[in-house]
Amino acid sequence: MGQDWTPWFAIPYLKNPSLDPQFRLYFSKEWYEALHLSVRNFLSEIFNGTHILQNRFFSEKSTVNRLKKDIKQLNLKLSQLQALLEEKEAQLSRSRSHGASVMEVSMGQTMSSTHSATGTSTSGMHGEDILLSRDSQEICAPSTQHLGEMELGQDCDVAGPAKSSPELTLSKSDHNSSSSLNLDVGDGGTADAFQMFQDGLYIENGREMQGEEEFPEVNIDFQETFLGHTSPISRCRFSASGNNIASASVDGTVRIWTYDSSTLASRNATIYCGAEIMSLDWECKSDCLLLIGTADGGIKAWNVDAKRVVCDVSTAETFPSVLDLKCSPVEPIFVSTAASGGYGSSYIDKLGFASLTVWNMKTWKAMTVLPLGKDPPAITSLCFNHNGKILAASATDGMIHMFDMSAGLQITGWPAHDSAVSSILFGPDETSIFSFGSDGKIFEWSLQNQGQVLWSRNCSRFCNPESLKYCRHEMALDANGRRLLVTSGSVRAPIYQVQGHRNGLRTLAHTAAITTVDWHPTLPIFLTGSADHSVRVTSIL
């Protein structure tokens, strides 16, 4: 302490400090006024500085909001430009296909008429005729990228008899679709027939429907893009409340995040699992627990409040791939479906046999194994009904199985598809069940009249084999059960209107295949995860 302050300790012992020569100055009116002015100037500077900081804060906040709005507008403009580019490319492809198709039919009719008039047979053709036949076969080999397969019947057989009204069969789908369009093409009818086909019309369930290529684009309220992953997205799921999102990528990373700025970000986390993530599911009663299944047989439970793994168990060594996990909506249990390794080039062929296990979420131990028979095909998807008493399971042999969870036994089952079933969902009133096959066919099955199809769609054009490179296809129903969103090998995914609605919608474009989808539990908001490493949250009007 400085020497100047030492005399001040004597003030309490002085009778009249204002008369003391050392302290007289500090009791004068002039000193008081100077002190008052100094304090007022000091406080003025403080308040002025606070006002400047406040103005700067609001200015920065306004700038950030403006930049966010600009980013949204640019993203929307980018999506519009991508849609315009796709439309122009589709128009160009249709024009090329139309020209080639008209030439094919014209050439086929001309050649049939010529050879019928001259009575020329295949065995008696000269060198020029053989050359003409070879050229006509090359012309008649269609470019089927957008139109599918075209069977011209006898029109491309130069040795066959001429027909006055040949039948042209056009198969719209490119994966053995059962939906086809048969057109009788007579003189001058070729162009009209092809134009009707190109306009996106096809026959399905006995009535004319609008093709998915013509579906209008969704009208969005807002869209947010999450770019926290560095590899293709394998799964993404809303939590039970919809406030949090879990997304996984094939590099074994799970990210927990939120799209709503008003929601606390304290639960945001990154979880490294060390193997490809094949399944995700949130606890149904709260947003507290996230279950994670991996390709090496691992099952982890992540507590989002404690931000740590509270369970880390493994399936049997013979069943390393955890294809799906589902929590019971009522009891503290979950079911896992795991598959052994198989042989083959496709995703389905590599799954092998199945194992279906019920786990206790309090002890984190296996309770029972549900019976599937000897060497059962892999179970690809699971779904509980509202009270958790019934479990539906779909298999790679096209079967749907129904289990009574209280008895632990299978109660029924039926063949639903000619190919593997990729995804399964109960309908909104649980009187029906949806199944999505790897061939792109979607069926809604009645649970009151087993085997009866209530509604169906064929989206095989979106299910090319390349889209199965990262994961199996899946679907998601909105909260009202009226809109069905499915994954896509294209940059857009279709949203089908279920029951009684003719047209559907298309999502905004990603830059690669859409590998996973989900709907918000209560709002018209959906998730799309893509092979371009991004996850998008889209709110529609």
Side-chain angles (χ1 to χ4, degrees), residues 26-47:
Y26 304 109
F27 291 92
S28 65
K29 182 178 180 181
E30 292 80 4
W31 189 88
Y32 170 77
E33 291 177 350
L35 176 63
H36 182 270
L37 180 62
S38 297
V39 172
R40 187 175 65 181
N41 290 340
F42 172 74
L43 294 177
S44 177
E45 289 293 329
I46 291 295
F47 290 133

mmCIF file of all heavy atoms in Angstrom, residues 26-47:
data_model
loop_
_atom_site.group_PDB
_atom_site.id
_atom_site.type_symbol
_atom_site.label_atom_id
_atom_site.label_comp_id
_atom_site.label_asym_id
_atom_site.label_seq_id
_atom_site.Cartn_x
_atom_site.Cartn_y
_atom_site.Cartn_z
ATOM 1 N N TYR A 26 -10.385 17.906 0.645
ATOM 2 C CA TYR A 26 -11.368 16.908 0.230
ATOM 3 C C TYR A 26 -12.782 17.179 0.743
ATOM 4 O O TYR A 26 -13.725 16.481 0.368
ATOM 5 C CB TYR A 26 -10.926 15.523 0.693
ATOM 6 C CG TYR A 26 -9.540 15.166 0.187
ATOM 7 C CD1 TYR A 26 -8.462 15.118 1.070
ATOM 8 C CD2 TYR A 26 -9.321 14.902 -1.158
ATOM 9 C CE1 TYR A 26 -7.200 14.802 0.616
ATOM 10 C CE2 TYR A 26 -8.055 14.592 -1.610
ATOM 11 C CZ TYR A 26 -6.998 14.545 -0.735
ATOM 12 O OH TYR A 26 -5.755 14.246 -1.194
ATOM 13 N N PHE A 27 -12.923 18.173 1.595
ATOM 14 C CA PHE A 27 -14.229 18.560 2.102
ATOM 15 C C PHE A 27 -14.714 19.874 1.533
ATOM 16 O O PHE A 27 -15.733 20.404 1.952
ATOM 17 C CB PHE A 27 -14.189 18.647 3.647
ATOM 18 C CG PHE A 27 -14.026 17.317 4.303
ATOM 19 C CD1 PHE A 27 -12.766 16.820 4.609
ATOM 20 C CD2 PHE A 27 -15.137 16.553 4.636
ATOM 21 C CE1 PHE A 27 -12.610 15.586 5.208
ATOM 22 C CE2 PHE A 27 -14.978 15.324 5.247
ATOM 23 C CZ PHE A 27 -13.728 14.827 5.525
ATOM 24 N N SER A 28 -13.983 20.373 0.521
ATOM 25 C CA SER A 28 -14.371 21.635 -0.112
ATOM 26 C C SER A 28 -15.411 21.384 -1.192
ATOM 27 O O SER A 28 -15.551 20.279 -1.733
ATOM 28 C CB SER A 28 -13.146 22.322 -0.717
ATOM 29 O OG SER A 28 -12.630 21.535 -1.776
ATOM 30 N N LYS A 29 -16.185 22.452 -1.523
ATOM 31 C CA LYS A 29 -17.228 22.362 -2.541
ATOM 32 C C LYS A 29 -16.638 22.121 -3.925
ATOM 33 O O LYS A 29 -17.192 21.378 -4.743
ATOM 34 C CB LYS A 29 -18.054 23.637 -2.525
ATOM 35 C CG LYS A 29 -19.211 23.628 -3.513
ATOM 36 C CD LYS A 29 -20.013 24.915 -3.394
ATOM 37 C CE LYS A 29 -21.176 24.899 -4.379
ATOM 38 N NZ LYS A 29 -21.980 26.161 -4.297
ATOM 39 N N GLU A 30 -15.500 22.725 -4.212
ATOM 40 C CA GLU A 30 -14.863 22.572 -5.510
ATOM 41 C C GLU A 30 -14.456 21.123 -5.762
ATOM 42 O O GLU A 30 -14.650 20.578 -6.866
ATOM 43 C CB GLU A 30 -13.630 23.483 -5.617
ATOM 44 C CG GLU A 30 -13.945 24.960 -5.642
ATOM 45 C CD GLU A 30 -14.209 25.495 -4.239
ATOM 46 O OE1 GLU A 30 -14.066 24.707 -3.252
ATOM 47 O OE2 GLU A 30 -14.606 26.670 -4.141
ATOM 48 N N TRP A 31 -13.900 20.470 -4.740
ATOM 49 C CA TRP A 31 -13.477 19.066 -4.911
ATOM 50 C C TRP A 31 -14.685 18.162 -5.123
ATOM 51 O O TRP A 31 -14.673 17.245 -5.942
ATOM 52 C CB TRP A 31 -12.683 18.614 -3.685
ATOM 53 C CG TRP A 31 -12.041 17.253 -3.890
ATOM 54 C CD1 TRP A 31 -10.836 16.992 -4.426
ATOM 55 C CD2 TRP A 31 -12.630 15.996 -3.532
ATOM 56 N NE1 TRP A 31 -10.597 15.650 -4.454
ATOM 57 C CE2 TRP A 31 -11.699 14.992 -3.904
ATOM 58 C CE3 TRP A 31 -13.828 15.618 -2.936
ATOM 59 C CZ2 TRP A 31 -11.942 13.648 -3.698
ATOM 60 C CZ3 TRP A 31 -14.061 14.286 -2.744
ATOM 61 C CH2 TRP A 31 -13.140 13.297 -3.133
ATOM 62 N N TYR A 32 -15.792 18.418 -4.391
ATOM 63 C CA TYR A 32 -17.006 17.628 -4.548
ATOM 64 C C TYR A 32 -17.565 17.743 -5.957
ATOM 65 O O TYR A 32 -17.970 16.753 -6.580
ATOM 66 C CB TYR A 32 -18.039 18.085 -3.518
ATOM 67 C CG TYR A 32 -19.407 17.496 -3.756
ATOM 68 C CD1 TYR A 32 -19.689 16.177 -3.409
ATOM 69 C CD2 TYR A 32 -20.416 18.266 -4.340
ATOM 70 C CE1 TYR A 32 -20.939 15.629 -3.643
ATOM 71 C CE2 TYR A 32 -21.667 17.732 -4.584
ATOM 72 C CZ TYR A 32 -21.921 16.408 -4.225
ATOM 73 O OH TYR A 32 -23.153 15.870 -4.468
ATOM 74 N N GLU A 33 -17.596 18.989 -6.477
ATOM 75 C CA GLU A 33 -18.123 19.187 -7.837
ATOM 76 C C GLU A 33 -17.245 18.505 -8.882
ATOM 77 O O GLU A 33 -17.747 17.932 -9.869
ATOM 78 C CB GLU A 33 -18.244 20.680 -8.130
ATOM 79 C CG GLU A 33 -19.341 21.353 -7.312
ATOM 80 C CD GLU A 33 -19.396 22.850 -7.558
ATOM 81 O OE1 GLU A 33 -18.448 23.370 -8.210
ATOM 82 O OE2 GLU A 33 -20.356 23.492 -7.121
ATOM 83 N N ALA A 34 -15.914 18.561 -8.659
ATOM 84 C CA ALA A 34 -15.009 17.882 -9.597
ATOM 85 C C ALA A 34 -15.211 16.365 -9.563
ATOM 86 O O ALA A 34 -15.210 15.676 -10.605
ATOM 87 C CB ALA A 34 -13.549 18.230 -9.260
ATOM 88 N N LEU A 35 -15.403 15.825 -8.349
ATOM 89 C CA LEU A 35 -15.658 14.382 -8.224
ATOM 90 C C LEU A 35 -16.975 14.009 -8.903
ATOM 91 O O LEU A 35 -17.060 12.998 -9.615
ATOM 92 C CB LEU A 35 -15.695 13.998 -6.741
ATOM 93 C CG LEU A 35 -16.046 12.516 -6.448
ATOM 94 C CD1 LEU A 35 -14.976 11.602 -7.028
ATOM 95 C CD2 LEU A 35 -16.193 12.289 -4.941
ATOM 96 N N HIS A 36 -18.006 14.835 -8.686
ATOM 97 C CA HIS A 36 -19.311 14.559 -9.293
ATOM 98 C C HIS A 36 -19.211 14.553 -10.814
ATOM 99 O O HIS A 36 -19.782 13.692 -11.498
ATOM 100 C CB HIS A 36 -20.315 15.623 -8.806
ATOM 101 C CG HIS A 36 -21.707 15.417 -9.338
ATOM 102 N ND1 HIS A 36 -22.149 15.982 -10.521
ATOM 103 C CD2 HIS A 36 -22.751 14.693 -8.837
ATOM 104 C CE1 HIS A 36 -23.395 15.632 -10.747
ATOM 105 N NE2 HIS A 36 -23.786 14.832 -9.730
ATOM 106 N N LEU A 37 -18.476 15.533 -11.350
ATOM 107 C CA LEU A 37 -18.307 15.602 -12.806
ATOM 108 C C LEU A 37 -17.525 14.388 -13.346
ATOM 109 O O LEU A 37 -17.874 13.826 -14.394
ATOM 110 C CB LEU A 37 -17.588 16.910 -13.171
ATOM 111 C CG LEU A 37 -17.330 17.141 -14.658
ATOM 112 C CD1 LEU A 37 -18.650 17.215 -15.412
ATOM 113 C CD2 LEU A 37 -16.511 18.408 -14.865
ATOM 114 N N SER A 38 -16.503 13.969 -12.619
ATOM 115 C CA SER A 38 -15.691 12.825 -13.059
ATOM 116 C C SER A 38 -16.524 11.537 -13.082
ATOM 117 O O SER A 38 -16.462 10.740 -14.029
ATOM 118 C CB SER A 38 -14.482 12.638 -12.143
ATOM 119 O OG SER A 38 -13.642 13.764 -12.213
ATOM 120 N N VAL A 39 -17.321 11.339 -12.033
ATOM 121 C CA VAL A 39 -18.158 10.139 -11.973
ATOM 122 C C VAL A 39 -19.190 10.150 -13.092
ATOM 123 O O VAL A 39 -19.450 9.126 -13.750
ATOM 124 C CB VAL A 39 -18.844 10.027 -10.597
ATOM 125 C CG1 VAL A 39 -19.869 8.895 -10.593
ATOM 126 C CG2 VAL A 39 -17.804 9.783 -9.510
ATOM 127 N N ARG A 40 -19.800 11.349 -13.309
ATOM 128 C CA ARG A 40 -20.801 11.431 -14.374
ATOM 129 C C ARG A 40 -20.178 11.155 -15.739
ATOM 130 O O ARG A 40 -20.764 10.430 -16.568
ATOM 131 C CB ARG A 40 -21.445 12.819 -14.366
ATOM 132 C CG ARG A 40 -22.615 12.950 -15.337
ATOM 133 C CD ARG A 40 -23.286 14.283 -15.196
ATOM 134 N NE ARG A 40 -22.371 15.358 -15.583
ATOM 135 C CZ ARG A 40 -22.683 16.660 -15.552
ATOM 136 N NH1 ARG A 40 -23.890 17.036 -15.112
ATOM 137 N NH2 ARG A 40 -21.809 17.575 -15.904
ATOM 138 N N ASN A 41 -18.980 11.674 -15.980
ATOM 139 C CA ASN A 41 -18.305 11.394 -17.260
ATOM 140 C C ASN A 41 -17.953 9.911 -17.410
ATOM 141 O O ASN A 41 -18.070 9.325 -18.499
ATOM 142 C CB ASN A 41 -17.036 12.241 -17.370
ATOM 143 C CG ASN A 41 -17.348 13.712 -17.555
ATOM 144 O OD1 ASN A 41 -18.458 14.077 -17.969
ATOM 145 N ND2 ASN A 41 -16.384 14.572 -17.225
ATOM 146 N N PHE A 42 -17.554 9.318 -16.294
ATOM 147 C CA PHE A 42 -17.197 7.896 -16.320
ATOM 148 C C PHE A 42 -18.423 7.041 -16.677
ATOM 149 O O PHE A 42 -18.364 6.167 -17.550
ATOM 150 C CB PHE A 42 -16.639 7.480 -14.964
ATOM 151 C CG PHE A 42 -16.424 6.002 -14.809
ATOM 152 C CD1 PHE A 42 -15.368 5.370 -15.453
ATOM 153 C CD2 PHE A 42 -17.301 5.244 -14.038
ATOM 154 C CE1 PHE A 42 -15.172 4.008 -15.315
ATOM 155 C CE2 PHE A 42 -17.119 3.886 -13.916
ATOM 156 C CZ PHE A 42 -16.057 3.260 -14.551
ATOM 157 N N LEU A 43 -19.548 7.318 -15.991
ATOM 158 C CA LEU A 43 -20.767 6.558 -16.272
ATOM 159 C C LEU A 43 -21.267 6.810 -17.686
ATOM 160 O O LEU A 43 -21.787 5.904 -18.357
ATOM 161 C CB LEU A 43 -21.855 6.910 -15.252
ATOM 162 C CG LEU A 43 -21.566 6.500 -13.802
ATOM 163 C CD1 LEU A 43 -22.677 6.973 -12.870
ATOM 164 C CD2 LEU A 43 -21.417 4.984 -13.692
ATOM 165 N N SER A 44 -21.121 8.033 -18.154
ATOM 166 C CA SER A 44 -21.530 8.350 -19.529
ATOM 167 C C SER A 44 -20.745 7.529 -20.543
ATOM 168 O O SER A 44 -21.301 7.006 -21.520
ATOM 169 C CB SER A 44 -21.370 9.845 -19.785
ATOM 170 O OG SER A 44 -21.703 10.163 -21.118
ATOM 171 N N GLU A 45 -19.437 7.423 -20.312
ATOM 172 C CA GLU A 45 -18.605 6.623 -21.203
ATOM 173 C C GLU A 45 -19.006 5.142 -21.175
ATOM 174 O O GLU A 45 -19.064 4.466 -22.213
ATOM 175 C CB GLU A 45 -17.122 6.764 -20.809
ATOM 176 C CG GLU A 45 -16.515 8.106 -21.127
ATOM 177 C CD GLU A 45 -16.425 8.344 -22.620
ATOM 178 O OE1 GLU A 45 -16.252 7.361 -23.382
ATOM 179 O OE2 GLU A 45 -16.561 9.497 -23.041
ATOM 180 N N ILE A 46 -19.318 4.662 -19.985
ATOM 181 C CA ILE A 46 -19.734 3.262 -19.854
ATOM 182 C C ILE A 46 -21.010 3.006 -20.633
ATOM 183 O O ILE A 46 -21.131 2.039 -21.420
ATOM 184 C CB ILE A 46 -19.925 2.878 -18.379
ATOM 185 C CG1 ILE A 46 -18.569 2.859 -17.652
ATOM 186 C CG2 ILE A 46 -20.612 1.502 -18.256
ATOM 187 C CD1 ILE A 46 -17.620 1.799 -18.151
ATOM 188 N N PHE A 47 -22.010 3.860 -20.445
ATOM 189 C CA PHE A 47 -23.296 3.674 -21.128
ATOM 190 C C PHE A 47 -23.163 3.831 -22.638
ATOM 191 O O PHE A 47 -23.808 3.119 -23.413
ATOM 192 C CB PHE A 47 -24.340 4.638 -20.572
ATOM 193 C CG PHE A 47 -24.779 4.307 -19.173
ATOM 194 C CD1 PHE A 47 -24.865 5.288 -18.189
ATOM 195 C CD2 PHE A 47 -25.100 3.006 -18.819
ATOM 196 C CE1 PHE A 47 -25.261 4.970 -16.907
ATOM 197 C CE2 PHE A 47 -25.503 2.688 -17.537
ATOM 198 C CZ PHE A 47 -25.579 3.669 -16.566
#
